[in-house]
Amino acid sequence: MNILLYIKRDISLNLRTQELLNIASLCKKKTKGKLYIAIFENSSFLKDELIYWEIDKIFYLEEKKKNMEEYLNLFQILLEKEKIDCIMMGNTLHERELAPYLSANFEWNLVPNIISFEIQEHKILWNRFLYGTRAIEESETKKQNIVLTFSGNIYKKDERRKTKNPEEAIVKSNFSFLLPYTIQSIEEKKLQKNPLETAKIVIGVGKGIKGKENFSMIEELANLLRAAIGVTRSVVDNGWRPEYEKVGQTGKIIKPELYLGFGISGAMQHMVGVQQARHIIMVNNNPNAESFRYSDFGIVADLFDVIPQLIQYLKEYKINDKKI
Ligand SMILES: Cc1cc2nc3c(=O)[nH]c(=O)nc-3n(C[C@H](O)[C@H](O)[C@H](O)COP(=O)(O)OP(=O)(O)OC[C@H]3O[C@@H](n4cnc5c(N)ncnc54)[C@H](O)[C@@H]3O)c2cc1C
């Protein structure tokens, strides 16, 4: 099976991208196929790290893609250049939009959000979450004409083994389609210092925080714990935090060692994104809050009392040179 792994623009090969490279390398090894990488031209410096995976060819995609039609055009060119059986990618918002777009246009099968898989001679067996994380679908697909997207934290083995330098090629689009709309501006997302998907500790924040201005204490706490910040939809809808921090059914599914939630009611749509955390601690001033049902440890208290005390404690703990 010849695989094309799409790596969306990045400033370094983060753990998530490394996991995708490991998955694609494993599939290449098991199917004795080829592994192609599609990466943006301005990330070409990543080549020095990419060569440790058994890659046959790296395609550098022309920059400044603004819409799905332009992405489709680049992938069409790639498919004309090489015989590709399978397109793989991650599961970010952008990839969740791109994967079905490619699958529909190429009339290929789409398997989104895979959480485990097994390569067999003529097929791939796979599992994926349905209804948030409430059910698991088990099924299979043939090894041709497929678009696969992978959930995070599903494959831990390191498949790096440097062999030879991959071939390289630049792919320029020949897109000439007149768009039925105009794009006035594009805002690049700020990269998170500590991405939610890989953070060991996540501080969850709900509407109980009352306003944007109160996030300074959350940021201080997150710095002390080296934690990432995740929020509920209410917080995003109020414009207090960016969309990419949203956790839950319509946001990110996370798997930290510790989820420390403040002022979160515990709606099912939020908790499906959190319930794979190893430990959950919730702070809520309502003793009947639904969030306590999901937590290993619950604190009935006002978050505005708890957080300053916790910050104070952690500062003293750090002054005494203890490690968290
Ligand atoms: C189709 C659909 C998809 C959705 N997807 C998502 C999703 O992906 N993610 C998501 O998060 N939500 C999602 N939602 C929304 C979800 O149903 C809830 O409305 C939302 O999660 C509630 O957010 P919250 O807990 O911050 O707010 P609230 O429900 O308003 O809860 C605030 C909590 O803070 C507590 N509180 C208030 N003051 C304090 C204080 N001083 N100290 C301590 N505690 C305090 C209150 O007791 C309360 O429990 C979705 C809804 C729908 C219909």
Side-chain angles (χ1 to χ4, degrees):
M1 178 170 79
N2 293 343
I3 297 158
L4 173 69
L5 174 66
Y6 168 65
I7 298 181
K8 71 185 193 72
R9 75 195 70 207
D10 231 328
I11 46 162
S12 66
L13 275 195
N14 62 28
L15 290 176
R16 177 68 181 127
T17 308
Q18 291 180 29
E19 183 184 22
L20 289 168
L21 282 159
N22 288 332
I23 290 172
S25 298
L26 172 79
C27 294
K28 168 192 158 125
K29 195 168 66 186
K30 294 240 170 185
T31 58
K32 300 189 173 58
K34 298 210 164 188
L35 174 56
Y36 306 113
I37 302 289
I39 194 166
F40 285 97
E41 236 175 341
N42 72 347
S43 303
S44 58
F45 59 89
L46 293 180
K47 187 198 155 194
D48 293 346
E49 293 177 75
L50 284 172
I51 52 171
Y52 289 95
W53 282 270
E54 260 183 288
I55 294 166
D56 294 278
K57 193 164 181 177
I58 304 178
F59 290 103
Y60 299 110
L61 307 180
E62 191 190 25
E63 280 304 310
K64 295 198 197 85
K65 296 293 143 281
K66 298 189 192 77
N67 53 63
M68 285 298 142
E69 288 86 350
E70 287 179 292
Y71 279 101
L72 177 65
N73 176 247
L74 284 175
F75 277 85
Q76 264 161 344
I77 295 170
L78 286 172
L79 260 57
E80 281 159 20
K81 281 183 186 292
E82 302 291 346
K83 186 192 168 305
I84 290 165
D85 302 299
C86 169
I87 299 174
M88 291 185 176
M89 61 185 77
N91 207 24
T92 60
L93 279 180
H94 161 67
E95 287 155 322
R96 276 188 255 165
E97 190 184 355
L98 177 62
Y101 202 83
L102 297 179
S103 130
N105 278 284
F106 297 149
E107 296 186 1
W108 284 18
N109 283 334
L110 170 67
V111 186
N113 205 13
I114 294 176
I115 53 167
S116 63
F117 61 95
E118 188 189 318
I119 310 272
Q120 296 200 339
E121 198 182 341
H122 298 295
K123 59 190 177 190
I124 303 174
L125 308 181
W126 52 261
N127 292 349
R128 69 180 183 113
F129 282 132
L130 286 182
Y131 313 117
T133 52
R134 298 203 136 198
I136 292 178
E137 180 184 7
E138 292 180 13
S139 191
E140 59 184 53
T141 184
K142 59 188 170 65
K143 291 197 291 194
Q144 288 103 34
N145 301 353
I146 42 172
V147 182
L148 310 179
T149 79
F150 291 89
S151 190
N153 296 316
I154 63 162
Y155 189 72
K156 300 271 179 248
K157 221 172 132 203
D158 189 347
E159 298 288 345
R160 266 178 284 201
R161 67 180 73 76
K162 184 169 187 235
T163 44
K164 56 183 166 83
N165 271 345
E167 282 180 56
E168 293 168 83
I170 293 177
V171 182
K172 298 237 178 260
S173 80
N174 52 18
F175 183 71
S176 58
F177 181 71
L178 195 59
L179 290 173
Y181 51 87
T182 51
I183 294 166
Q184 301 200 326
S185 68
I186 298 232
E187 216 172 288
E188 283 286 332
K189 180 184 101 175
K190 263 204 281 169
L191 286 162
Q192 283 169 288
K193 219 169 33 181
N194 190 0
L196 269 173
E197 294 88 336
T198 48
K200 294 255 182 289
I201 304 178
V202 172
I203 298 181
V205 187
K207 213 165 105 192
I209 192 73
K210 308 236 163 22
K212 194 176 181 161
E213 63 286 359
N214 296 324
F215 271 90
S216 54
M217 68 175 177
I218 300 291
E219 276 159 9
E220 189 176 1
L221 181 61
N223 276 337
L224 285 163
L225 287 171
R226 283 188 230 101
I229 298 175
V231 297
T232 63
R233 185 167 112 174
S234 311
V235 169
V236 174
D237 289 351
N238 274 299
W240 300 342
R241 296 298 285 188
E243 170 80 27
Y244 59 78
E245 286 184 358
K246 185 168 69 178
V247 173
Q249 187 181 318
T250 50
K252 292 183 175 162
I253 307 278
I254 55 171
K255 261 191 199 173
E257 292 291 311
L258 173 65
Y259 185 76
L260 184 53
F262 295 97
I264 293 173
S265 59
M268 185 264 284
Q269 293 91 348
H270 180 72
M271 296 313 294
V272 289
V274 171
Q275 63 193 18
Q276 292 182 71
R278 179 178 279 220
H279 304 289
I280 299 179
I281 301 177
M282 288 289 189
V283 179
N284 199 305
N285 60 3
N286 174 2
N288 299 317
E290 191 68 9
S291 52
F292 290 135
R293 278 192 42 220
Y294 297 89
S295 51
D296 301 295
F297 193 72
I299 302 170
V300 181
D302 188 322
L303 67 89
F304 293 98
D305 290 335
V306 175
I307 295 177
Q309 285 185 49
L310 194 52
I311 290 174
Q312 181 66 26
Y313 174 79
L314 288 167
K315 279 183 176 164
E316 283 165 15
Y317 197 79
K318 289 222 158 169
I319 288 166
N320 292 335
D321 229 15
K322 295 189 184 155
K323 286 221 162 69
I324 291 164

